[in-house]
Amino acid sequence: EAGVAQSPRYKIIEKRQSVAFWCNPISGHATLYWYQQILGQGPKLLIQFQNNGVVDDSQLPKDRFSAERLKGVDSTLKIQPAKLEDSAVYLCASSLVGPQETQYFGPGTRLLVL
Amino acid sequence: QKEVEQDPGPLSVPEGAIVSLNCTYSNSAFQYFMWYRQYSRKGPELLMYTYSSGNKEDGRFTAQVDKSSKYISLFIRDSQPSDSATYLCAMSPNYGQNFVFGPGTRLSVLP
């Protein structure tokens, strides 16, 4: 079974620039999550999709972050404009909807904002 | 006070030792408790998943939840160098949503 795919793996940008990350979940997984993991901290949930609808985006900084999940499959997370404090690993995870809500994580995109 | 706290580590143990990793939390609404392992430059992978209080065992891993004390633990028996990673606890009040992660404990098992 193929895992969660993310791209790019690394990105370096200057502050005030924009950046986009892409995630392809495991086939058949209805739920998709985006997390931000700052160095030395645990992942923080940014947004959760159920199919192509948003379940929880309470911690998404909506003035600069946006996310979409077209057709309930792939998802993109965008930051515009980026700030220095956005330097982090952005993790995508997916899960089935069912008795065992196991999240499977992708390898993450490591973002450095200079 | 942070919602979920973990001993920051790093924790170094010799191969074969029993390892105890712990988390405390403040939100009494948490009902679902998870432990993840994260290798360097990889995404977290689920190790254990428990609901409410009690113990759960899977091979060399045992998870304990004490909701009255707001305290959860992960025990690793016969630790191996391949167990060297960061261990994250996570919890949620609702089934399948509102997950909150701890900051993680870095473990090194020395051969």
Side-chain angles (χ1 to χ4, degrees):
Chain A
E1 176 181 74
V4 176
Q6 290 188 248
S7 68
R9 291 296 310 275
Y10 304 92
K11 190 75 177 178
I12 301 174
I13 61 172
E14 295 187 349
K15 60 182 179 182
R16 292 189 290 273
Q17 286 186 324
S18 62
V19 64
F21 312 127
W22 174 83
C23 173
N24 178 234
I26 293 173
S27 177
H29 282 195
T31 308
L32 185 146
Y33 312 80
W34 282 103
Y35 289 87
Q36 179 193 59
Q37 187 174 23
I38 293 172
L39 186 65
Q41 299 183 20
K44 183 181 85 171
L45 180 66
L46 294 176
I47 189 167
Q48 178 180 345
F49 292 95
Q50 182 74 25
N51 295 307
N52 59 352
V54 176
V55 172
D56 181 5
D57 64 357
S58 57
Q59 298 193 91
L60 186 73
K62 298 180 185 62
D63 58 334
R64 299 185 299 107
F65 286 64
S66 64
E68 60 182 5
R69 190 181 184 196
L70 299 175
K71 301 180 181 178
V73 183
D74 293 4
S75 177
T76 56
L77 177 70
K78 296 179 181 178
I79 307 175
Q80 183 180 13
K83 293 184 175 182
L84 297 177
E85 58 261 36
D86 297 332
S87 295
V89 177
Y90 290 85
L91 294 162
C92 179
S94 69
S95 66
L96 289 166
V97 179
Q100 286 206 315
E101 195 65 39
T102 300
Q103 294 184 54
Y104 295 88
F105 283 81
T109 296
R110 191 172 297 267
L111 174 67
L112 179 61
V113 182
L114 301 176
Chain B
Q1 181 188 17
K2 292 185 178 179
E3 201 166 16
V4 180
E5 301 200 56
Q6 285 185 253
D7 296 334
L11 180 63
S12 291
V13 301
E15 184 175 355
I18 296 174
V19 177
S20 172
L21 302 165
N22 309 297
C23 281
T24 58
Y25 62 94
S26 57
N27 186 349
S28 57
F30 288 140
Q31 298 189 77
Y32 300 89
F33 303 91
M34 292 140 279
W35 284 96
Y36 285 83
R37 177 174 62 196
Q38 186 173 25
Y39 291 114
S40 180
R41 299 186 179 273
K42 301 285 188 182
E45 56 178 327
L46 182 68
L47 285 175
M48 302 285 284
Y49 185 107
T50 55
Y51 170 71
S52 196
S53 288
N55 294 356
K56 184 174 183 179
E57 188 173 322
D58 185 1
R60 296 185 295 111
F61 299 92
T62 300
Q64 288 185 351
V65 175
D66 182 350
K67 289 187 68 180
S68 63
S69 301
K70 298 190 181 70
Y71 189 88
I72 69 171
S73 299
L74 177 71
F75 297 95
I76 307 174
R77 290 184 300 279
D78 187 26
S79 57
Q80 302 295 309
S82 58
D83 295 328
S84 298
T86 296
Y87 289 80
L88 300 156
C89 64
M91 44 200 80
S92 68
N94 316 106
Y95 181 72
Q97 60 187 86
N98 303 122
F99 294 94
V100 179
F101 280 78
T105 299
R106 183 184 297 179
L107 170 68
S108 294
V109 181
L110 307 175

